[in-house]
Amino acid sequence: SDDVYSGKYWLKAINDAAVVYNVSVQLCMANAYHLLHSTTMPSVTNARATGDNTRNDAGIYPMGQNGLLFYALGIFASRDNVWTSKADIEQKGCGNKEFCYEPNAHLDNVVAALSNGPYGIADGVHYVNGRIVMYACRLDGWMLRPRWPLSTLEFTLTEETNAIVWAAHDDHGPYRWSYIVGIG
C-alpha cells in the first residue's frame, strides 16, 4: 500500500479518545515512530520498554537504554507485569505454567517500581508474594517512585564493559539519593 498516513490517523484517534475520556495511554511494543509521535499525544504517559515478560533476565536488558530515550521524549518506560511467586507454585488459571513466575522476582520488582511506569502484579490474588511487592511500597502501601526514573548509567555506554548498571534518583533538598541496580 502507498498509504503513509493511516498510522498517524490511528495514533491521533487513540489520543483523541483518551483525552475525551480522561484516561492515559501506554504504548506497548512501540517502535521509534510510535515513540517520536507520542510527543504529539498528551494522553501517552508511558511505553513498555521491554519485551514480553518471558522469564529471563535478558528480557529486561533494554530497560536502561530505553529509559533514557523515553524520559527525553517526556514519557516513562515501563516493565511488563511483575510475577512474585516461586516456580514451584502452580497458579490456577494460568494457561502456561512455564510463564507464571519470574526467576528473579526481586530484580523484576525493583525494575518495575523504579521505572515510574505502571506497576502491575501478574500473580493471581491468592498467589501474590506480599513481601516482594512491599519492597516497592512504604508500609502504608504508597508506591515508591523516584523523580528521575531508572536508566542506564553513562559509563556502561562508554567503557568496554559487559556491566549492566542503572540508576534512578530522588532529590531531597540539596541532597540526591540514588538507587543503583546492577545486573551481572
Side-chain angles (χ1 to χ4, degrees), residues 12-86:
K12 183 180 181 325
I14 290 172
N15 183 70
D16 291 350
V19 169
V20 167
Y21 290 101
N22 194 31
V23 296
S24 57
V25 172
Q26 171 178 299
L27 299 176
C28 183
M29 303 302 212
N31 63 30
Y33 174 81
H34 301 122
L35 293 170
L36 291 172
H37 192 80
S38 75
T39 62
T40 69
M41 302 171 66
S43 66
V44 175
T45 59
N46 63 85
R48 201 165 86 198
T50 63
D52 285 335
N53 196 347
T54 56
R55 310 315 127 225
N56 62 58
D57 289 340
I60 63 171
Y61 289 172
M63 177 62 90
Q65 290 182 24
N66 287 343
L68 289 171
L69 172 63
F70 289 22
Y71 194 67
L73 295 173
I75 60 177
F76 292 117
S78 69
R79 172 71 179 122
D80 202 356
N81 293 333
V82 176
W83 291 92
T84 64
S85 59
K86 296 181 179 180

